[in-house]
Amino acid sequence: MGSLVANRLPATYEAEARLLVGPLSADKDTLSAAGAQARTYAALATTTPVLEAAARRSGLGGSAGAVRSRVRDVTASDVTRLISVRVRDRDPARAATIANALAEVLRARASIGPQEGKLHIVERAAAPQNSVGPSASLIVPLAAIAGLLGAFGIVVLVDSLATAVRNEGDLAAASPVAVLGSVNGARPRRGDRPLIMEAEPHSAAAAAYRMLATKISLSNSERPLRSLLVLDAHGGRSSGRLAANLAAALAEDGTRVVVIDDDKRGGVMELFQHEGNASTAKVQRARPLRIGQLTFDRFRLRGPQLIVIQPRKPSETLYPEQAAETIEHLLTGADLVVLTAPPVDGSASSMVWAHAADATLLVAERHHTKREQMGPAVETLRIAEANVIGTVLC
């Protein structure tokens, strides 16, 4: 197969022109000065003005890019003072024409000045008779290696799928905490409106988010839930989507929700600001919010009902007292604070938020999160004294 591909690929030819910097013979200082300029001329050869001039000489319409894409390299030696211009093209004659044109432009640019800086073309490029590629001897083993890697990838994929969480039953068997439900498949049919609560508010998927919101509200029987961290298990990317839709569902009944989007991978604001969402027109950038030493960008989405804030410096170290102070401050004007942070194993800030929040909801991503990862993820959160109220399949 590799040999067949190599035989069908068009041949590539390489032509080379060579120039000498300075006189053929001179005193030591002159030759040393000429050698020092060789590398400068080699770098000059790939600048846009030189390439444009070479393109005009070659009949390529003055396009620097047309020459740049064909120049393999321009090398220089400060010892021999030789500059080599190598050009590759499918047409051997054109390869030679471009190499000679580039050499001529360089020689002309160096025509004014002292002897040690002048260039002399010592070997003009000729149309090569033999191609330099494609090489069947190289492509065949590479194709074989690619085939082996592909087979190995399939084995890894099959093994990954075999241990991944596929349904609520898998999640219940793997998770040491309660499964609060599934919003799996709760993605809108319309890709231009990725927020399900905006795209399809009357769908079964939207109803799944409302049901989850109700379960979460009732999960803390001792006292009302005021802050919730939504967190992916190892490497997942669904917590932002779940948090955005969950916040929208909670805000529907008048609950004042503030979302802290501290997941550096993005997600919450990307969903709300997507141009296809009805909420996009309602996004209002408010004044930055300063809480202690932390500064947040603030966005109003539904008046006072739904606000999203993002740390100005997401890489900034977060301390437990700062997290607690932030949540406490936000709750003076909100009924619930929903937080998103990187996966359990992705950032120390995740553990800090988990410690500060009233509850943590762990998200398992279908066909991605492995069953054996759920237990360690919950144990890691418990080390931070997090109140893990349950898991959700997303």
Side-chain angles (χ1 to χ4, degrees), residues 245-308:
N245 283 287
L246 188 60
L250 289 163
E252 281 185 338
D253 64 1
T255 301
R256 296 172 301 167
V257 182
V258 176
V259 180
I260 302 178
D261 185 8
D262 193 25
D263 191 342
K264 303 171 185 63
R265 304 170 303 164
V268 172
M269 279 308 299
E270 288 180 9
L271 287 167
F272 280 118
Q273 289 183 313
H274 195 283
E275 62 182 10
N277 287 327
S279 62
T280 301
K282 303 174 186 176
V283 174
Q284 297 177 345
R285 193 182 187 99
R287 288 187 303 172
L289 180 63
R290 180 86 174 179
I291 304 175
Q293 298 299 312
L294 304 178
T295 303
F296 299 87
D297 288 319
R298 180 165 42 173
F299 305 87
R300 296 183 184 277
L301 281 82
R302 294 180 180 174
Q305 248 57 57
L306 184 54
I307 296 173
V308 178

Short mmCIF file of all heavy atoms in Angstrom, two decimals, residues 245-308:
data_model
loop_
_atom_site.label_atom_id
_atom_site.label_comp_id
_atom_site.label_asym_id
_atom_site.label_seq_id
_atom_site.Cartn_x
_atom_site.Cartn_y
_atom_site.Cartn_z
N ASN A 245 -26.67 25.03 32.28
CA ASN A 245 -28.07 24.65 32.15
C ASN A 245 -28.75 24.54 33.51
O ASN A 245 -29.93 24.89 33.66
CB ASN A 245 -28.18 23.32 31.39
CG ASN A 245 -28.00 23.48 29.90
OD1 ASN A 245 -28.87 23.99 29.20
ND2 ASN A 245 -26.84 23.06 29.41
N LEU A 246 -28.02 24.07 34.51
CA LEU A 246 -28.57 23.95 35.85
C LEU A 246 -28.88 25.34 36.41
O LEU A 246 -29.95 25.56 37.00
CB LEU A 246 -27.57 23.23 36.75
CG LEU A 246 -28.04 22.84 38.15
CD1 LEU A 246 -29.23 21.90 38.06
CD2 LEU A 246 -26.89 22.18 38.91
N ALA A 247 -27.97 26.30 36.21
CA ALA A 247 -28.19 27.66 36.67
C ALA A 247 -29.40 28.28 35.98
O ALA A 247 -30.22 28.97 36.61
CB ALA A 247 -26.95 28.51 36.42
N ALA A 248 -29.53 28.03 34.67
CA ALA A 248 -30.68 28.56 33.93
C ALA A 248 -31.98 27.95 34.43
O ALA A 248 -33.01 28.64 34.54
CB ALA A 248 -30.49 28.28 32.44
N ALA A 249 -31.95 26.66 34.76
CA ALA A 249 -33.15 25.99 35.27
C ALA A 249 -33.53 26.54 36.64
O ALA A 249 -34.72 26.78 36.93
CB ALA A 249 -32.91 24.48 35.35
N LEU A 250 -32.56 26.77 37.49
CA LEU A 250 -32.84 27.31 38.83
C LEU A 250 -33.36 28.74 38.77
O LEU A 250 -34.22 29.14 39.56
CB LEU A 250 -31.56 27.26 39.68
CG LEU A 250 -31.10 25.86 40.11
CD1 LEU A 250 -29.65 25.89 40.56
CD2 LEU A 250 -32.00 25.33 41.23
N ALA A 251 -32.85 29.52 37.81
CA ALA A 251 -33.27 30.92 37.69
C ALA A 251 -34.68 31.06 37.15
O ALA A 251 -35.30 32.12 37.31
CB ALA A 251 -32.29 31.68 36.80
N GLU A 252 -35.20 30.01 36.54
CA GLU A 252 -36.55 30.08 35.95
C GLU A 252 -37.62 30.38 37.00
O GLU A 252 -38.60 31.07 36.70
CB GLU A 252 -36.89 28.76 35.24
CG GLU A 252 -36.26 28.60 33.89
CD GLU A 252 -36.72 27.33 33.19
OE1 GLU A 252 -37.17 26.40 33.90
OE2 GLU A 252 -36.64 27.27 31.96
N ASP A 253 -37.45 29.83 38.20
CA ASP A 253 -38.49 30.00 39.22
C ASP A 253 -38.24 31.20 40.13
O ASP A 253 -38.84 31.33 41.20
CB ASP A 253 -38.63 28.72 40.06
CG ASP A 253 -37.36 28.41 40.85
OD1 ASP A 253 -36.39 29.19 40.75
OD2 ASP A 253 -37.35 27.39 41.56
N GLY A 254 -37.32 32.08 39.69
CA GLY A 254 -37.05 33.29 40.46
C GLY A 254 -35.88 33.20 41.40
O GLY A 254 -35.55 34.18 42.07
N THR A 255 -35.22 32.05 41.48
CA THR A 255 -34.04 31.92 42.32
C THR A 255 -32.93 32.81 41.78
O THR A 255 -32.63 32.77 40.58
CB THR A 255 -33.56 30.46 42.37
OG1 THR A 255 -34.60 29.64 42.88
CG2 THR A 255 -32.32 30.32 43.24
N ARG A 256 -32.32 33.60 42.64
CA ARG A 256 -31.22 34.46 42.22
C ARG A 256 -29.92 33.64 42.27
O ARG A 256 -29.49 33.23 43.35
CB ARG A 256 -31.12 35.69 43.13
CG ARG A 256 -32.33 36.61 43.04
CD ARG A 256 -32.24 37.69 44.12
NE ARG A 256 -32.18 37.10 45.46
CZ ARG A 256 -31.85 37.78 46.56
NH1 ARG A 256 -31.56 39.08 46.48
NH2 ARG A 256 -31.84 37.18 47.75
N VAL A 257 -29.35 33.42 41.10
CA VAL A 257 -28.19 32.53 40.97
C VAL A 257 -26.97 33.33 40.50
O VAL A 257 -27.07 34.11 39.55
CB VAL A 257 -28.46 31.39 39.98
CG1 VAL A 257 -27.26 30.45 39.91
CG2 VAL A 257 -29.72 30.62 40.37
N VAL A 258 -25.84 33.11 41.16
CA VAL A 258 -24.56 33.64 40.69
C VAL A 258 -23.67 32.44 40.36
O VAL A 258 -23.52 31.53 41.19
CB VAL A 258 -23.88 34.51 41.75
CG1 VAL A 258 -22.49 34.96 41.26
CG2 VAL A 258 -24.72 35.73 42.07
N VAL A 259 -23.10 32.44 39.16
CA VAL A 259 -22.20 31.37 38.74
C VAL A 259 -20.77 31.89 38.78
O VAL A 259 -20.46 32.91 38.16
CB VAL A 259 -22.54 30.87 37.32
CG1 VAL A 259 -21.57 29.75 36.91
CG2 VAL A 259 -23.97 30.38 37.24
N ILE A 260 -19.91 31.18 39.50
CA ILE A 260 -18.47 31.49 39.47
C ILE A 260 -17.83 30.54 38.46
O ILE A 260 -17.74 29.33 38.69
CB ILE A 260 -17.82 31.30 40.86
CG1 ILE A 260 -18.51 32.19 41.91
CG2 ILE A 260 -16.33 31.62 40.79
CD1 ILE A 260 -17.94 32.00 43.31
N ASP A 261 -17.42 31.09 37.33
CA ASP A 261 -16.82 30.29 36.26
C ASP A 261 -15.30 30.32 36.43
O ASP A 261 -14.62 31.17 35.87
CB ASP A 261 -17.23 30.87 34.90
CG ASP A 261 -16.74 30.01 33.74
OD1 ASP A 261 -16.21 28.92 33.99
OD2 ASP A 261 -16.87 30.45 32.58
N ASP A 262 -14.78 29.36 37.20
CA ASP A 262 -13.34 29.32 37.47
C ASP A 262 -12.67 28.15 36.76
O ASP A 262 -11.59 27.72 37.15
CB ASP A 262 -13.09 29.22 38.99
CG ASP A 262 -11.63 29.51 39.34
OD1 ASP A 262 -10.96 30.20 38.56
OD2 ASP A 262 -11.16 29.02 40.38
N ASP A 263 -13.33 27.64 35.73
CA ASP A 263 -12.73 26.56 34.94
C ASP A 263 -11.96 27.21 33.79
O ASP A 263 -12.55 27.79 32.88
CB ASP A 263 -13.81 25.63 34.39
CG ASP A 263 -13.21 24.36 33.81
OD1 ASP A 263 -12.00 24.34 33.52
OD2 ASP A 263 -13.96 23.39 33.63
N LYS A 264 -10.65 27.12 33.83
CA LYS A 264 -9.81 27.79 32.84
C LYS A 264 -10.03 27.27 31.44
O LYS A 264 -9.64 27.88 30.46
CB LYS A 264 -8.33 27.63 33.23
CG LYS A 264 -8.03 28.16 34.63
CD LYS A 264 -6.64 27.79 35.08
CE LYS A 264 -6.36 28.20 36.52
NZ LYS A 264 -7.23 27.51 37.49
N ARG A 265 -10.66 26.11 31.30
CA ARG A 265 -10.92 25.56 29.97
C ARG A 265 -12.13 26.22 29.32
O ARG A 265 -12.44 25.97 28.17
CB ARG A 265 -11.18 24.05 30.09
CG ARG A 265 -10.06 23.29 30.77
CD ARG A 265 -10.48 21.87 31.08
NE ARG A 265 -11.68 21.85 31.90
CZ ARG A 265 -12.45 20.78 32.07
NH1 ARG A 265 -12.12 19.66 31.48
NH2 ARG A 265 -13.52 20.83 32.84
N GLY A 266 -12.84 27.10 30.04
CA GLY A 266 -14.02 27.77 29.50
C GLY A 266 -15.22 26.85 29.54
O GLY A 266 -15.16 25.70 29.92
N GLY A 267 -16.37 27.38 29.16
CA GLY A 267 -17.56 26.55 29.11
C GLY A 267 -18.82 27.31 29.42
O GLY A 267 -19.69 27.45 28.56
N VAL A 268 -18.95 27.85 30.63
CA VAL A 268 -20.19 28.49 31.06
C VAL A 268 -20.48 29.74 30.23
O VAL A 268 -21.53 29.85 29.60
CB VAL A 268 -20.13 28.84 32.56
CG1 VAL A 268 -21.34 29.67 32.96
CG2 VAL A 268 -20.09 27.55 33.39
N MET A 269 -19.56 30.69 30.20
CA MET A 269 -19.81 31.92 29.45
C MET A 269 -19.84 31.67 27.96
O MET A 269 -20.55 32.34 27.22
CB MET A 269 -18.75 32.98 29.78
CG MET A 269 -19.01 33.73 31.07
SD MET A 269 -20.69 34.46 31.17
CE MET A 269 -20.67 35.58 29.78
N GLU A 270 -19.09 30.68 27.48
CA GLU A 270 -19.13 30.35 26.06
C GLU A 270 -20.53 29.91 25.66
O GLU A 270 -21.03 30.24 24.58
CB GLU A 270 -18.12 29.25 25.74
CG GLU A 270 -16.68 29.72 25.79
CD GLU A 270 -15.71 28.61 25.46
OE1 GLU A 270 -16.16 27.53 25.04
OE2 GLU A 270 -14.49 28.82 25.63
N LEU A 271 -21.19 29.16 26.53
CA LEU A 271 -22.55 28.71 26.24
C LEU A 271 -23.53 29.86 26.27
O LEU A 271 -24.36 30.02 25.38
CB LEU A 271 -22.96 27.63 27.25
CG LEU A 271 -22.29 26.27 27.09
CD1 LEU A 271 -22.54 25.40 28.30
CD2 LEU A 271 -22.82 25.57 25.85
N PHE A 272 -23.45 30.70 27.29
CA PHE A 272 -24.38 31.82 27.41
C PHE A 272 -24.16 32.87 26.33
O PHE A 272 -25.11 33.53 25.90
CB PHE A 272 -24.28 32.47 28.79
CG PHE A 272 -25.00 31.72 29.87
CD1 PHE A 272 -24.32 31.19 30.95
CD2 PHE A 272 -26.38 31.54 29.80
CE1 PHE A 272 -24.98 30.50 31.95
CE2 PHE A 272 -27.05 30.85 30.80
CZ PHE A 272 -26.35 30.33 31.87
N GLN A 273 -22.92 33.04 25.88
CA GLN A 273 -22.62 34.07 24.90
C GLN A 273 -22.66 33.57 23.48
O GLN A 273 -22.41 34.34 22.56
CB GLN A 273 -21.22 34.66 25.18
CG GLN A 273 -21.16 35.52 26.43
CD GLN A 273 -19.79 36.13 26.63
OE1 GLN A 273 -18.78 35.46 26.53
NE2 GLN A 273 -19.78 37.42 26.92
N HIS A 274 -22.97 32.30 23.27
CA HIS A 274 -23.05 31.77 21.91
C HIS A 274 -24.09 32.56 21.13
O HIS A 274 -25.20 32.81 21.60
CB HIS A 274 -23.42 30.29 21.94
CG HIS A 274 -23.18 29.59 20.63
ND1 HIS A 274 -24.02 29.72 19.56
CD2 HIS A 274 -22.18 28.78 20.24
CE1 HIS A 274 -23.55 28.99 18.56
NE2 HIS A 274 -22.44 28.42 18.95
N GLU A 275 -23.71 32.94 19.91
CA GLU A 275 -24.57 33.85 19.13
C GLU A 275 -25.94 33.28 18.82
O GLU A 275 -26.88 34.01 18.52
CB GLU A 275 -23.87 34.21 17.82
CG GLU A 275 -23.61 33.02 16.92
CD GLU A 275 -22.86 33.41 15.66
OE1 GLU A 275 -22.39 34.55 15.58
OE2 GLU A 275 -22.79 32.58 14.74
N GLY A 276 -26.12 31.97 18.91
CA GLY A 276 -27.42 31.40 18.60
C GLY A 276 -28.39 31.39 19.76
O GLY A 276 -29.58 31.12 19.58
N ASN A 277 -27.91 31.68 20.96
CA ASN A 277 -28.77 31.63 22.14
C ASN A 277 -29.58 32.90 22.30
O ASN A 277 -29.10 34.01 22.05
CB ASN A 277 -27.93 31.40 23.40
CG ASN A 277 -27.40 29.98 23.47
OD1 ASN A 277 -28.06 29.06 23.03
ND2 ASN A 277 -26.21 29.81 24.01
N ALA A 278 -30.79 32.73 22.77
CA ALA A 278 -31.64 33.89 23.01
C ALA A 278 -31.06 34.78 24.11
O ALA A 278 -31.27 35.99 24.12
CB ALA A 278 -33.05 33.43 23.40
N SER A 279 -30.31 34.18 25.05
CA SER A 279 -29.76 34.95 26.16
C SER A 279 -28.61 35.85 25.74
O SER A 279 -28.22 36.75 26.47
CB SER A 279 -29.26 34.00 27.26
OG SER A 279 -28.23 33.19 26.77
N THR A 280 -28.06 35.61 24.53
CA THR A 280 -26.90 36.39 24.11
C THR A 280 -27.22 37.88 24.08
O THR A 280 -26.44 38.72 24.53
CB THR A 280 -26.44 35.93 22.71
OG1 THR A 280 -26.10 34.55 22.77
CG2 THR A 280 -25.22 36.73 22.27
N ALA A 281 -28.40 38.21 23.56
CA ALA A 281 -28.78 39.62 23.47
C ALA A 281 -28.98 40.23 24.85
O ALA A 281 -28.95 41.44 25.01
CB ALA A 281 -30.05 39.77 22.64
N LYS A 282 -29.19 39.38 25.87
CA LYS A 282 -29.45 39.87 27.22
C LYS A 282 -28.19 39.94 28.09
O LYS A 282 -28.25 40.34 29.23
CB LYS A 282 -30.49 38.97 27.90
CG LYS A 282 -31.79 38.85 27.12
CD LYS A 282 -32.71 37.83 27.76
CE LYS A 282 -33.96 37.59 26.92
NZ LYS A 282 -34.82 36.54 27.49
N VAL A 283 -27.06 39.50 27.54
CA VAL A 283 -25.82 39.53 28.31
C VAL A 283 -25.34 40.96 28.44
O VAL A 283 -25.13 41.65 27.45
CB VAL A 283 -24.73 38.67 27.65
CG1 VAL A 283 -23.40 38.83 28.39
CG2 VAL A 283 -25.13 37.20 27.62
N GLN A 284 -25.19 41.42 29.67
CA GLN A 284 -24.73 42.77 29.94
C GLN A 284 -23.46 42.69 30.79
O GLN A 284 -23.46 42.07 31.85
CB GLN A 284 -25.79 43.59 30.68
CG GLN A 284 -27.08 43.79 29.88
CD GLN A 284 -28.12 44.55 30.68
OE1 GLN A 284 -28.01 44.69 31.89
NE2 GLN A 284 -29.12 45.06 29.99
N ARG A 285 -22.42 43.32 30.30
CA ARG A 285 -21.18 43.35 31.08
C ARG A 285 -21.30 44.42 32.15
O ARG A 285 -21.48 45.60 31.85
CB ARG A 285 -20.00 43.63 30.18
CG ARG A 285 -18.65 43.36 30.85
CD ARG A 285 -17.50 43.70 29.93
NE ARG A 285 -16.25 43.28 30.55
CZ ARG A 285 -15.60 42.16 30.27
NH1 ARG A 285 -16.10 41.35 29.36
NH2 ARG A 285 -14.48 41.85 30.85
N ALA A 286 -21.23 44.01 33.40
CA ALA A 286 -21.34 44.95 34.51
C ALA A 286 -19.96 45.36 34.99
O ALA A 286 -18.94 44.88 34.48
CB ALA A 286 -22.14 44.31 35.65
N ARG A 287 -19.94 46.23 35.99
CA ARG A 287 -18.66 46.65 36.53
C ARG A 287 -17.93 45.48 37.19
O ARG A 287 -18.56 44.59 37.77
CB ARG A 287 -18.87 47.75 37.57
CG ARG A 287 -19.29 49.09 36.98
CD ARG A 287 -19.33 50.16 38.04
NE ARG A 287 -20.23 49.80 39.14
CZ ARG A 287 -20.33 50.48 40.27
NH1 ARG A 287 -19.59 51.55 40.46
NH2 ARG A 287 -21.18 50.10 41.21
N PRO A 288 -16.59 45.45 37.10
CA PRO A 288 -15.83 44.38 37.76
C PRO A 288 -16.15 44.33 39.25
O PRO A 288 -16.49 45.34 39.86
CB PRO A 288 -14.37 44.78 37.52
CG PRO A 288 -14.41 45.66 36.32
CD PRO A 288 -15.72 46.39 36.38
N LEU A 289 -16.06 43.13 39.79
CA LEU A 289 -16.38 42.91 41.20
C LEU A 289 -15.10 42.63 41.97
O LEU A 289 -14.33 41.73 41.61
CB LEU A 289 -17.35 41.72 41.32
CG LEU A 289 -17.80 41.33 42.72
CD1 LEU A 289 -18.58 42.46 43.38
CD2 LEU A 289 -18.64 40.06 42.65
N ARG A 290 -14.88 43.38 43.02
CA ARG A 290 -13.70 43.19 43.86
C ARG A 290 -14.13 42.59 45.20
O ARG A 290 -14.96 43.17 45.91
CB ARG A 290 -13.02 44.54 44.10
CG ARG A 290 -11.77 44.47 44.96
CD ARG A 290 -10.55 44.15 44.15
NE ARG A 290 -9.33 44.21 44.94
CZ ARG A 290 -8.13 43.95 44.47
NH1 ARG A 290 -7.99 43.61 43.20
NH2 ARG A 290 -7.08 44.02 45.24
N ILE A 291 -13.59 41.41 45.51
CA ILE A 291 -13.88 40.75 46.78
C ILE A 291 -12.54 40.42 47.44
O ILE A 291 -11.82 39.53 46.99
CB ILE A 291 -14.70 39.47 46.60
CG1 ILE A 291 -16.00 39.75 45.83
CG2 ILE A 291 -15.01 38.83 47.95
CD1 ILE A 291 -16.81 38.51 45.52
N GLY A 292 -12.20 41.16 48.49
CA GLY A 292 -10.91 40.96 49.12
C GLY A 292 -9.79 41.26 48.14
O GLY A 292 -9.73 42.33 47.54
N GLN A 293 -8.91 40.28 47.93
CA GLN A 293 -7.79 40.43 47.00
C GLN A 293 -8.12 39.94 45.60
O GLN A 293 -7.28 40.02 44.70
CB GLN A 293 -6.58 39.65 47.54
CG GLN A 293 -6.05 40.12 48.88
CD GLN A 293 -5.60 41.56 48.84
OE1 GLN A 293 -4.86 41.97 47.95
NE2 GLN A 293 -6.04 42.34 49.83
N LEU A 294 -9.32 39.44 45.40
CA LEU A 294 -9.70 38.88 44.10
C LEU A 294 -10.56 39.85 43.30
O LEU A 294 -11.41 40.53 43.87
CB LEU A 294 -10.45 37.55 44.29
CG LEU A 294 -9.73 36.46 45.09
CD1 LEU A 294 -10.63 35.24 45.21
CD2 LEU A 294 -8.41 36.08 44.41
N THR A 295 -10.35 39.87 41.99
CA THR A 295 -11.14 40.70 41.09
C THR A 295 -11.82 39.80 40.06
O THR A 295 -11.18 38.91 39.48
CB THR A 295 -10.28 41.75 40.37
OG1 THR A 295 -9.61 42.54 41.34
CG2 THR A 295 -11.13 42.65 39.50
N PHE A 296 -13.12 40.03 39.84
CA PHE A 296 -13.89 39.22 38.91
C PHE A 296 -14.53 40.10 37.83
O PHE A 296 -14.97 41.22 38.11
CB PHE A 296 -15.02 38.47 39.64
CG PHE A 296 -14.55 37.51 40.70
CD1 PHE A 296 -14.31 37.94 42.00
CD2 PHE A 296 -14.34 36.18 40.39
CE1 PHE A 296 -13.88 37.07 42.98
CE2 PHE A 296 -13.92 35.29 41.37
CZ PHE A 296 -13.68 35.73 42.67
N ASP A 297 -14.56 39.58 36.59
CA ASP A 297 -15.40 40.19 35.56
C ASP A 297 -16.82 39.71 35.80
O ASP A 297 -17.06 38.54 36.13
CB ASP A 297 -14.92 39.76 34.16
CG ASP A 297 -13.61 40.42 33.79
OD1 ASP A 297 -13.44 41.61 34.08
OD2 ASP A 297 -12.75 39.73 33.22
N ARG A 298 -17.80 40.63 35.61
CA ARG A 298 -19.19 40.31 35.97
C ARG A 298 -20.11 40.48 34.76
O ARG A 298 -20.02 41.46 34.02
CB ARG A 298 -19.64 41.21 37.12
CG ARG A 298 -21.05 40.98 37.59
CD ARG A 298 -21.32 41.64 38.94
NE ARG A 298 -20.75 42.97 39.08
CZ ARG A 298 -20.97 43.76 40.11
NH1 ARG A 298 -21.74 43.34 41.11
NH2 ARG A 298 -20.42 44.96 40.17
N PHE A 299 -21.00 39.52 34.56
CA PHE A 299 -21.94 39.55 33.45
C PHE A 299 -23.36 39.29 33.98
O PHE A 299 -23.57 38.31 34.70
CB PHE A 299 -21.59 38.49 32.39
CG PHE A 299 -20.19 38.60 31.88
CD1 PHE A 299 -19.14 37.95 32.53
CD2 PHE A 299 -19.90 39.34 30.75
CE1 PHE A 299 -17.84 38.04 32.07
CE2 PHE A 299 -18.60 39.43 30.27
CZ PHE A 299 -17.57 38.79 30.93
N ARG A 300 -24.30 40.15 33.60
CA ARG A 300 -25.71 39.94 33.96
C ARG A 300 -26.41 39.30 32.76
O ARG A 300 -26.36 39.81 31.65
CB ARG A 300 -26.38 41.27 34.30
CG ARG A 300 -25.80 41.94 35.54
CD ARG A 300 -26.58 43.21 35.87
NE ARG A 300 -25.99 43.91 36.99
CZ ARG A 300 -26.22 43.63 38.26
NH1 ARG A 300 -27.05 42.64 38.57
NH2 ARG A 300 -25.64 44.32 39.22
N LEU A 301 -27.10 38.18 33.02
CA LEU A 301 -27.77 37.47 31.94
C LEU A 301 -29.28 37.62 31.99
O LEU A 301 -29.93 37.65 30.96
CB LEU A 301 -27.40 35.98 31.96
CG LEU A 301 -26.02 35.68 31.35
CD1 LEU A 301 -24.92 35.94 32.34
CD2 LEU A 301 -25.94 34.27 30.85
N ARG A 302 -29.85 37.65 33.15
CA ARG A 302 -31.30 37.80 33.29
C ARG A 302 -31.59 38.76 34.44
O ARG A 302 -32.21 38.39 35.43
CB ARG A 302 -31.97 36.45 33.53
CG ARG A 302 -31.87 35.49 32.35
CD ARG A 302 -32.54 34.17 32.65
NE ARG A 302 -32.44 33.26 31.54
CZ ARG A 302 -32.84 31.99 31.58
NH1 ARG A 302 -33.36 31.50 32.69
NH2 ARG A 302 -32.73 31.21 30.53
N GLY A 303 -31.07 39.98 34.28
CA GLY A 303 -31.24 40.93 35.36
C GLY A 303 -30.58 40.40 36.61
O GLY A 303 -29.48 39.86 36.58
N PRO A 304 -31.24 40.51 37.74
CA PRO A 304 -30.64 40.03 39.00
C PRO A 304 -30.78 38.51 39.17
O PRO A 304 -30.25 37.95 40.11
CB PRO A 304 -31.44 40.77 40.07
CG PRO A 304 -32.79 40.99 39.44
CD PRO A 304 -32.54 41.20 37.97
N GLN A 305 -31.53 37.86 38.28
CA GLN A 305 -31.81 36.44 38.44
C GLN A 305 -30.61 35.55 38.14
O GLN A 305 -30.45 34.49 38.72
CB GLN A 305 -32.99 36.03 37.55
CG GLN A 305 -34.23 35.65 38.31
CD GLN A 305 -34.69 36.78 39.23
OE1 GLN A 305 -34.93 37.89 38.79
NE2 GLN A 305 -34.76 36.50 40.51
N LEU A 306 -29.77 35.96 37.18
CA LEU A 306 -28.66 35.11 36.77
C LEU A 306 -27.45 35.96 36.43
O LEU A 306 -27.48 36.77 35.51
CB LEU A 306 -29.06 34.24 35.56
CG LEU A 306 -28.02 33.22 35.07
CD1 LEU A 306 -27.56 32.32 36.20
CD2 LEU A 306 -28.61 32.39 33.93
N ILE A 307 -26.39 35.79 37.20
CA ILE A 307 -25.14 36.55 37.01
C ILE A 307 -24.00 35.55 36.94
O ILE A 307 -23.96 34.56 37.67
CB ILE A 307 -24.92 37.54 38.17
CG1 ILE A 307 -26.02 38.61 38.17
CG2 ILE A 307 -23.54 38.20 38.08
CD1 ILE A 307 -25.98 39.53 39.38
N VAL A 308 -23.05 35.80 36.03
CA VAL A 308 -21.85 34.97 35.92
C VAL A 308 -20.64 35.85 36.19
O VAL A 308 -20.55 36.97 35.66
CB VAL A 308 -21.73 34.33 34.52
CG1 VAL A 308 -20.43 33.52 34.42
CG2 VAL A 308 -22.92 33.44 34.22
#
